[in-house]
Amino acid sequence: MTAAGRALAVAALALIFAFVAACDDDGPASGEPAFPTVLSLGEGDIFVNITNTFIVTGENRVSMRLTDRDDEPLLGAEVEVGFYDLNGEEPRLVSDGAARFVPVTLSYVDELSGGETAVTGEDGVYVREVAFGEAGAWGAWIRVTHEGKEYEPFPFRFTVADRDAVDVLLPGDAAPATVQQTAATAPIEEIDSSFPPRPDMHDVTVADALAARRPMVVAFATPAFCRSRTCAPVMDTVMDPLAEKYGDRAEFIHIEPYVLRDLRAANIETPVPAALEWRIRTEPVVYVVGADGV
């Protein structure tokens, strides 16, 4: 599929651990949390999916996407979420509070039009910082108010994995000493699908930054080929402003997660060695690494 073809297939944010929300008669009617074992598809006015690749024991930044019955994103709502441990005989409330809405204008670099930015729509997620004390079954009880309408509270279930059991880099892990391609070892257009390219984010390897004990921000993103259409916005609204403000104190490194020549020639997502070393499962992903290499 060409870049233009991809524009017609705007993906949602990562849908791993996605569960459709629905309610049984006891929960919403009484206002008390109830988490049925089986959730019915197609019921309710709002549907939820967790966009995290993994939710693990310990601290998490839980990210949720809400859609309506027409699969349109529900943006800018007031959202309250209670998280319940479902591993005991009764649901146990662990955390309750407001979720913060993070909006994004979806876009990508359209290489077929000479590098113009193609805007494909608006989206956003609702985020909460939550600590999960044990692996297993968990539930969320969600209350939504949108444009003056208060919806019936509704539940959904999800699974928390043991931190040591997932094959992904997590906060507290050591950063791999990656020697990725840089502008000194490859043409910039082969390692950066941005337009214009960002050569300043391709002038040092992760390994060299670690050896120099330099803090760094590492973004795995593919602005021209990102399925979620959030890579270009992340580079524009996160990496660029931070690099401008903190470029004298940290290294800002951009790594394309796939071999660009394979994407351009046949739409084949061949992971680059750095993506394998960092165990990248989706894009974009941004890592902040301290001077200690963690």
Side-chain angles (χ1 to χ4, degrees):
M1 186 184 297
T2 65
R6 281 174 173 266
L8 300 178
V10 178
L13 304 178
L15 297 182
I16 298 175
F17 287 109
F19 294 89
V20 178
C23 306
D24 69 2
D25 293 337
D26 294 334
S30 63
E32 295 297 326
F35 298 94
T37 303
V38 177
L39 300 182
S40 302
L41 297 176
E43 296 182 4
D45 295 316
I46 301 176
F47 302 87
V48 183
N49 61 68
I50 291 179
T51 66
N52 301 61
T53 303
F54 288 103
I55 296 180
V56 298
T57 49
E59 294 287 341
N60 290 258
R61 179 180 181 271
V62 179
S63 172
M64 297 166 288
R65 186 171 183 266
L66 305 183
T67 57
D68 62 20
R69 294 186 64 85
D70 297 321
D71 201 31
E72 293 295 325
L74 196 70
L75 308 179
E78 296 178 21
V79 176
E80 299 276 338
V81 186
F83 288 95
Y84 288 79
D85 186 344
L86 305 182
N87 292 292
E89 293 184 0
E90 297 292 337
R92 180 174 65 88
L93 179 64
V94 171
S95 176
D96 193 19
R100 179 171 60 92
F101 179 62
V102 181
V104 61
T105 298
L106 304 176
S107 65
Y108 70 101
V109 174
D110 186 357
E111 294 189 332
L112 297 182
S113 67
E116 293 183 3
T117 297
V119 175
T120 60
E122 301 293 327
D123 212 325
V125 292
Y126 297 85
V127 298
R128 278 278 315 279
E129 301 286 343
V130 186
F132 298 103
E134 62 179 315
W138 285 75
W141 188 247
I142 302 182
R143 293 93 69 194
V144 176
T145 302
H146 185 247
E147 296 181 347
K149 179 180 179 179
E150 185 174 345
Y151 290 85
E152 289 280 355
F154 55 90
F156 71 97
R157 287 173 169 261
F158 59 96
T159 300
V160 172
D162 187 274
R163 176 189 173 93
D164 296 331
V166 299
D167 185 26
V168 65
L169 289 179
L170 296 169
D173 291 341
T178 295
V179 182
Q180 80 278 14
Q181 293 272 14
T182 66
T185 61
I188 191 66
E189 63 272 12
E190 291 186 6
I191 57 173
D192 191 350
S193 66
S194 305
F195 187 83
R198 296 174 166 89
D200 290 348
M201 294 188 186
H202 296 274
D203 60 359
V204 64
T205 67
V206 173
D208 286 342
L210 289 172
R213 297 188 63 81
R214 285 274 287 175
M216 71 185 100
V217 182
V218 183
F220 286 85
T222 180
F225 299 97
C226 193
R227 291 186 179 274
S228 69
R229 301 304 191 219
T230 57
C231 292
V234 161
M235 296 301 298
D236 293 341
T237 66
V238 177
M239 290 295 284
D240 287 346
L242 289 178
E244 183 176 357
K245 186 172 183 178
Y246 299 108
D248 60 336
R249 296 166 56 185
E251 300 292 347
F252 287 81
I253 297 173
H254 168 223
I255 301 176
E256 290 275 344
Y258 309 115
V259 178
L260 288 178
R261 63 175 177 273
D262 290 349
L263 278 171
R264 288 167 176 149
N267 193 36
I268 297 174
E269 294 178 341
T270 306
V272 299
L276 297 176
E277 290 178 342
W278 289 66
R279 287 170 271 171
I280 300 299
R281 294 175 177 269
T282 186
E283 81 285 332
V285 182
V286 178
Y287 292 93
V288 179
V289 182
D292 60 356
V294 173

